[in-house]
Amino acid sequence: MSDANVRIPEEAKDRLAAIAAAEGLSLRAYLARLAETLLTPAERAERAERALAALKEWNGYAPTAAEEQDLDSELDRRLAQVTGR
């Protein structure tokens, strides 16, 4: 296993360390677990493609690009509403 130095603000490091400690992990173990569980943009795109294909096969759902954009905008609006952003 190789080590890596990552420069982040001290507050961010402290926050991550506190989260890790609350889960009974070292910061190193927590970051390793986090890296294993997060998806890359390519992996997210692949999953979205598979989900859309499954929906189309299951019930014929095949939104146009404009419909997808409208749905994305609505989701963004609702998320902003509940998060106060």
Side-chain angles (χ1 to χ4, degrees):
M1 181 183 327
S2 65
D3 285 337
N5 291 322
V6 179
R7 297 180 69 84
I8 61 173
E10 188 73 22
E11 299 82 22
K13 182 191 96 45
D14 292 344
R15 179 175 172 79
L16 289 169
I19 294 168
E23 295 189 24
L25 299 170
S26 67
L27 180 54
R28 176 189 216 158
Y30 179 76
L31 291 174
R33 187 180 75 182
L34 185 64
E36 291 171 3
T37 60
L38 295 176
L39 299 175
T40 65
E43 289 167 335
R44 283 194 307 273
E46 181 184 339
R47 283 191 181 187
E49 262 184 52
R50 287 195 322 250
L52 193 55
L55 283 170
K56 185 174 182 180
E57 182 180 325
W58 176 58
N59 67 4
Y61 181 72
T64 65
E67 289 170 330
E68 283 184 21
Q69 182 59 48
D70 288 346
L71 292 168
D72 286 345
S73 295
E74 178 63 14
L75 179 58
D76 289 342
R77 184 189 69 75
R78 289 183 185 198
L79 287 171
Q81 187 176 29
V82 297
T83 60
R85 295 182 185 172

